[in-house]
Amino acid sequence: MKRTRKLVTVAVLAVAVVVSAITAAYALSANTTETYAYLPEHSVYFYDTAGEYAWASREVDTLAVAGVIKGSGTHLFYPGNAITRADFIVMLDRAYGMSEALDNGQVNSNGSFVDVPSSAYYSKAVIAAKAFGIAAGEFQPQQSMTRQDAMVFLKRTIDRTALKLGTGSVSSFSDASRISNYAKPSVSALVGAKVIGGSKGKINPLSKVTRAEMAVMLYRATH
């Protein structure tokens, strides 16, 4: 399903269009991308998204082509690594174009956070996220992002687009009681929209988000 998104009055990165173009390009190619043979369930860009992380290879590749996610210079993505709050916001910014709106003066800056140095590579993305009301309070950029906080940040971002999510249910998850009250509406909405799924009957709200999980979340939210 194609979805149109705008951050307030600002057209955001058209990921759905990019995804369609990428899918078509793969279909028309001779099963190769640059010097890498395309194999089912295997990334064409990163060596380490095979095996136990093959479930995220399509999403990782799609977002890599769109410039939303990046790996190291040695073609490694580190899919199992926990993602920091700073890097989570950077990826959200790349996917939804928040700092572009800030640059264009279409949203006013509310400043940054005391724990976000102005020279940090993530500073602009964080400032944009604060301007849109996506990030608030103490930011703690180097802390690992929990699954429930990732859902809160993503739901707040989606709420500022033209897409509106309904309310889902988390009652089927055996650990639903572990979801913090502030996160329950976001978790429920993203579960209902099938952006988030559980694992072995659990939602794992307090677990750290891995880079692979982040890629899958963003792909589902923007596709």
Side-chain angles (χ1 to χ4, degrees):
M1 180 178 66
K2 292 185 178 179
R3 302 167 178 175
T4 303
R5 297 169 176 76
K6 291 185 179 180
L7 282 173
V8 190
T9 59
V10 184
V12 301
L13 178 65
V15 177
V17 175
V18 174
V19 169
S20 298
I22 294 166
T23 302
Y26 280 164
L28 293 173
S29 71
N31 291 328
T32 60
T33 301
E34 297 179 344
T35 59
Y36 300 93
Y38 182 76
L39 301 174
E41 303 302 322
H42 190 289
S43 172
V44 299
Y45 297 106
F46 304 109
Y47 301 134
D48 56 352
T49 55
E52 64 177 306
Y53 295 104
W55 51 270
S57 60
R58 177 185 63 174
E59 291 84 352
V60 168
D61 278 3
T62 301
L63 296 183
V65 170
V68 174
I69 61 175
K70 298 179 181 179
S72 73
T74 53
H75 301 285
L76 295 174
F77 182 64
Y78 302 104
N81 284 9
I83 192 168
T84 64
R85 291 167 62 87
D87 284 345
F88 191 97
I89 286 294
V90 168
M91 290 185 189
L92 276 181
D93 183 34
R94 290 174 183 158
Y96 288 92
M98 294 181 290
S99 56
E100 180 183 347
L102 191 66
D103 286 343
N104 293 339
Q106 293 171 299
V107 62
N108 295 323
S109 173
N110 290 324
S112 189
F113 299 91
V114 294
D115 56 352
V116 176
S118 59
S119 59
Y121 68 90
Y122 52 82
S123 176
K124 192 173 189 178
V126 172
I127 291 171
K130 186 177 182 182
F132 277 105
I134 293 163
E138 186 179 0
F139 188 67
Q140 300 177 320
Q142 300 309 319
Q143 290 269 341
S144 295
M145 181 72 82
T146 63
R147 283 174 55 83
Q148 68 176 12
D149 282 354
M151 296 180 216
V152 169
F153 277 41
L154 181 55
K155 173 62 163 53
R156 286 174 182 169
T157 304
I158 293 172
D159 285 345
R160 281 134 183 93
T161 73
L163 179 65
K164 301 302 177 186
L165 301 182
T167 301
S169 172
V170 296
S171 61
S172 63
F173 298 107
S174 62
D175 59 347
S177 61
R178 299 187 67 196
I179 303 171
S180 300
N181 287 334
Y182 72 86
K184 284 180 180 178
S186 297
V187 175
S188 297
L190 293 182
V191 167
K194 300 188 185 306
V195 172
I196 299 296
S199 176
K200 298 179 180 179
K202 294 184 177 182
I203 195 69
N204 300 312
L206 303 179
S207 296
K208 297 174 182 177
V209 176
T210 66
R211 288 169 58 81
E213 288 172 338
M214 174 58 178
V216 172
M217 276 188 209
L218 272 182
Y219 177 89
R220 290 175 179 172
T222 56
H223 188 61

